[in-house]
């Protein structure tokens, strides 16, 4: 019985492979874009300007309050219209991958902003003063003194967030984007092997996530010592 | 060189400084002392704009910190500052601590910044430690690195806020030795400290503060042997116990 299922998996490997590619692309873009956006938002949050602080605060509050599924659906419904209007794309262009990426980046920016902000305010005031006293501008002290320390302190938490993102990308099924999870399920439905396919998907997520968690624990131990 | 004119400072509705005036000439060494909470750190921080103030004025070479064309980073670059808790950058090596601002603020190239850094480390006796990280150094060594880091920006004035009060007793003298040398070379220094031996050795004047006011200003010898105010007498009495 098992041999038979390995056969179906082998036969479907290009579909599963395409799904893995989508999962990894969305995850990677969400992480890179989220850290970039989160860094900017965190810098605004600790800037001297009240309007910028408020913008950052409300952005983070808004995006953390909206369920991811809802965000994905909105972006699936709204972003294509905007992109088509702005870039004159024809309605046939598949925009699901891009809208998923945009939704994830906007959301994860809010989460990373909170993590990085916590890292910044965890540093002693003396570090800010020392950087300023050497003549550094606000930007220079952030760039060379504060952020490197904040990132280092928050590395384990940021890694954990990356694992959460990797798992959350499976929610793109709501906009019928064929990621690893959705494609695995589709094959199961098509071939009547849903249960083994779900088990396979679960095993893959488990293997990757526990591998990454191990890495996080390793980093935590290293920073602790 | 540095002048405070009738400076008053409030934190929210608590007044930390009352109408303080001091003038420090080029090459002078002025010691600030007084009980904890008397406003010494606040006054020092105002001079390089790390805190703002509500009344009065602060001048550096005749220019007001409130002037519209004053850029605070450049103002601070010209005024060195040494902190009680060193505040070295823990993610950078000793050499990195001494080169980062030279490169980013003064735009010196890496070789030039490194050359200057090594010369300063030599001067504070720590050349051999250039590759270490701050956490690998003793407190006295860290404070000497912090002084060298400050000097790497070629400051015209140096501010010290209790540079030895976080140190174990046996490390105090190595830091004071560096400061004495600096004073003897003619550096203008404003220094919060309770090290009386050091003050007697290098101070041109002593400013005694209490409860946010400047109570007494006197020559070092006169201040220590015959303080004029009751509060200063009280303070010195307790310090010597
Ligand atoms: N950031 C701050 N916010 C509110 N009050 C402060 C702050 N910094 C200092 N103070 C208060 O101002 C007074 C003077 O403090 P400080 O300048 O640190 O004194 P000193 O250095 O002489 O011990 C103290 O009463 C202190 O509690
Ligand atoms: Mg103090």
């Amino acid at each position: 019985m098992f041999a038979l299922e390995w056969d179906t998996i082998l036969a479907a490997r290009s579909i599963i492979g395409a799904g893995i590619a989508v999962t990894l692309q969305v995850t990677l873009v969400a992480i890179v874009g989220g850290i970039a956006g989160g860094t900017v938002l965190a810098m605004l949050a600790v800037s001297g300007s009240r309007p910028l602080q408020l913008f950052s605060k409300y952005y983070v509050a808004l995006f953390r309050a909206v369920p991811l599924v809802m965000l994905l659906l909105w972006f699936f419904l709204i972003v294509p219209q905007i992109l088509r209007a702005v870039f004159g794309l024809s309605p046939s262009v598949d925009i699901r991958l891009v809208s998923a990426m945009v939704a994830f980046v906007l959301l994860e920016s809010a989460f990373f902003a909170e993590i990085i902000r916590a890292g910044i305010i965890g540093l002693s005031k003396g570090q800010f003063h020392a950087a300023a006293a050497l003549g550094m501008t606000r930007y220079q002290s952030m760039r060379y003194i504060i952020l490197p320390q904040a990132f280092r302190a928050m590395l384990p938490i940021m890694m954990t967030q990356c694992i959460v993102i990797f798992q959350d990308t499976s929610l793109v099924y709501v906009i019928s984007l064929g990621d690893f999870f959705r494609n695995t399920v589709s094959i199961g439905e098509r071939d009547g092997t849903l249960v083994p396919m779900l088990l396979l998907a679960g095993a893959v997520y488990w293997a990757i996530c526990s591998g990454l968690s191990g890495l996080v624990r390793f980093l935590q131990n290293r920073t602790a010592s | 060189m540095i002048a405070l004119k009738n400076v008053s400072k409030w934190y929210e509705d608590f007044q930390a400084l009352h109408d303080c005036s001091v003038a420090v000439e080029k090459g002078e060494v002025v010691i600030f002392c007084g009980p904890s909470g008397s406003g010494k750190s606040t006054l020092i921080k105002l001079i390089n704009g790390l805190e703002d103030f509500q009344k009065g004025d602060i001048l550096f070479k005749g220019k007001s910190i409130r002037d519209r064309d004053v850029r605070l980073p450049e103002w601070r670059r010209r005024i060195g500052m040494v902190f009680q808790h060193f505040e070295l950058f823990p993610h950078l090596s000793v050499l990195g601590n001494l080169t980062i601002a030279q490169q980013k603020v003064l735009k010196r190239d890496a070789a030039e910044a490194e050359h200057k850094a090594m010369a300063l480390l030599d001067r504070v006796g720590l050349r051999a430690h250039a590759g270490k990280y701050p956490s690998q150094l003793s407190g006295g060594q860290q404070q000497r690195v912090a002084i060298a880091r400050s000097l790497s920006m070629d400051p015209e004035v140096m501010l010290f806020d209790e540079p030895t009060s976080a140190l174990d007793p046996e490390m105090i003298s190595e830091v004071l030795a560096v400061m004495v040398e600096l004073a003897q070379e003619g550096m203008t220094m404003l220094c919060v400290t309770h090290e009386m031996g050091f003050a007697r050795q290098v101070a041109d004047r002593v400013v005694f503060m209490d409860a946010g006011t400047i109570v007494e200003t006197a020559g070092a010898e006169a201040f220590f042997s015959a303080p004029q105010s009751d509060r200063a007498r009280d303070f010195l009495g307790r310090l010597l116990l």
Side-chain angles (χ1 to χ4, degrees):
Chain A
M1 176 175 167
F2 245 76
L4 188 118
E5 271 133 31
W6 285 118
D7 283 352
T8 37
I9 292 167
L10 278 178
R13 67 182 182 278
S14 69
I15 302 175
I16 293 178
I20 289 176
V22 168
T23 295
L24 292 181
Q25 281 175 60
V26 175
T27 304
L28 200 70
V29 169
I31 290 172
V32 173
I35 290 176
T39 304
V40 172
L41 284 166
M43 284 175 72
L44 297 184
V46 298
S47 76
S49 150
R50 191 84 191 124
L52 294 179
Q53 285 175 8
L54 286 179
F55 170 78
S56 172
K57 187 177 157 190
Y58 287 124
Y59 180 99
V60 170
L62 175 69
F63 277 89
R64 288 178 47 140
V66 178
L68 176 55
V69 173
M70 205 189 276
L71 203 59
L72 283 168
L73 280 172
W74 282 351
F75 273 83
F76 179 51
L77 297 173
I78 298 166
V79 173
Q81 316 283 339
I82 297 172
L83 286 180
R84 286 194 182 115
V86 174
F87 296 109
L89 296 178
S90 88
S92 62
V93 174
D94 186 357
I95 215 85
R96 285 173 302 182
L97 182 61
V98 178
S99 40
M101 286 171 171
V102 172
F104 266 100
V105 167
L106 290 174
L107 175 75
E108 298 306 334
S109 293
F111 280 93
F112 280 115
E114 277 299 274
I115 296 171
I116 296 164
R117 192 179 69 93
I120 293 173
I121 59 185
L123 296 175
S124 82
K125 210 172 174 192
Q127 289 286 302
F128 291 83
H129 283 170
L134 289 168
M136 290 194 186
T137 61
R138 241 192 146 80
Y139 172 78
Q140 287 171 331
S141 41
M142 274 291 157
R143 167 77 181 75
Y144 301 109
I145 307 302
I146 303 302
L147 285 177
Q149 293 185 61
F151 273 99
R152 198 166 293 202
M154 292 293 134
L155 190 61
I157 301 176
M158 291 177 58
M159 293 283 297
T160 306
Q161 184 63 22
C162 293
I163 296 172
V164 172
I165 294 174
F166 172 68
Q167 295 168 332
D168 281 356
T169 54
S170 59
L171 284 174
V172 298
Y173 82 87
V174 297
I175 57 172
S176 37
L177 180 60
D179 73 326
F180 167 67
F181 178 69
R182 186 186 156 84
N183 283 6
T184 314
V185 170
S186 308
I187 293 162
E189 284 171 341
R190 185 195 66 193
D191 300 349
T193 53
L194 188 55
V195 172
M197 283 313 234
L198 278 173
L199 287 175
L200 171 76
V204 170
Y205 278 107
W206 177 81
I208 294 178
C209 290
S210 50
L212 290 173
S213 300
L215 184 63
V216 173
R217 273 195 300 280
F218 170 75
L219 288 170
Q220 264 166 341
N221 288 338
R222 220 189 49 171
T223 35
S225 63
Chain B
M1 186 104 166
I2 297 273
L4 279 81
K5 294 198 167 151
N6 308 102
V7 171
S8 291
K9 151 90 183 164
W10 283 261
Y11 289 109
E12 309 290 323
D13 51 11
F14 171 75
Q15 187 167 7
L17 294 178
H18 298 259
D19 205 25
C20 293
S21 299
V22 198
V24 178
E25 299 307 318
K26 187 170 163 55
E28 259 193 315
V29 176
V30 177
I31 302 289
F32 292 79
C33 64
S36 166
S38 56
K40 307 176 300 291
S41 297
T42 301
L43 185 138
I44 289 288
K45 280 189 265 184
L46 291 191
I47 293 171
N48 66 354
L50 291 178
E51 293 281 359
D52 56 4
F53 57 100
Q54 287 74 27
K55 271 196 186 158
D57 202 1
I58 293 177
L59 306 173
F60 176 25
K61 288 188 155 174
K63 190 159 189 69
S64 164
I65 195 169
R66 297 221 195 266
D67 259 19
R68 208 178 283 181
D69 61 343
V70 164
R71 283 184 58 253
L72 271 183
E74 171 60 13
W75 179 284
R76 294 181 182 129
R77 200 281 301 157
R78 296 165 59 201
I79 301 177
M81 180 154 184
V82 174
F83 301 86
Q84 182 175 4
H85 298 288
F86 332 132
E87 303 301 346
L88 293 179
F89 305 133
H91 62 300
L92 298 174
S93 67
V94 166
L95 187 63
N97 268 273
L98 267 73
T99 53
I100 183 91
Q102 290 192 65
Q103 289 184 254
K104 302 306 174 188
V105 176
L106 296 177
K107 313 291 179 203
R108 289 180 181 153
D109 65 38
E112 192 187 354
E114 219 163 281
H115 183 77
K116 172 107 190 168
M118 291 313 282
L120 285 166
L121 285 176
D122 234 355
R123 183 165 158 188
V124 298
L126 292 170
R127 170 178 273 269
H129 301 272
K132 289 190 182 169
Y133 280 82
S135 59
Q136 297 171 297
L137 301 179
S138 73
Q141 291 172 327
Q142 289 190 52
Q143 193 61 299
R144 284 186 281 155
V145 171
I147 295 173
R149 177 178 71 178
S150 204
L151 292 173
S152 75
M153 305 306 286
D154 298 326
E156 297 162 53
V157 184
M158 288 285 287
L159 310 174
F160 294 83
D161 188 3
E162 304 209 34
T164 58
S165 61
L167 295 176
D168 293 335
E170 71 271 19
M171 294 173 186
I172 291 177
S173 61
E174 68 190 52
V175 171
L176 291 179
V178 171
M179 292 168 64
V180 168
E181 203 183 298
L182 206 55
Q184 285 166 350
E185 284 166 16
M187 177 61 83
T188 309
M189 292 164 63
L190 283 72
C191 184
V192 178
T193 183
H194 295 145
E195 292 296 330
M196 295 305 150
F198 168 74
R200 278 198 148 99
Q201 192 179 349
V202 299
D204 295 298
R205 273 183 302 147
V206 175
V207 173
F208 174 72
M209 295 181 68
D210 191 21
T213 49
I214 293 180
V215 177
E216 182 170 345
T217 303
E221 208 44 58
F223 178 77
F224 292 118
S225 49
Q228 296 302 302
S229 62
D230 290 344
R231 281 193 277 183
R233 256 194 300 277
D234 235 39
F235 172 73
L236 286 175
R238 258 176 289 133
L239 207 60
L240 295 175
L241 286 182

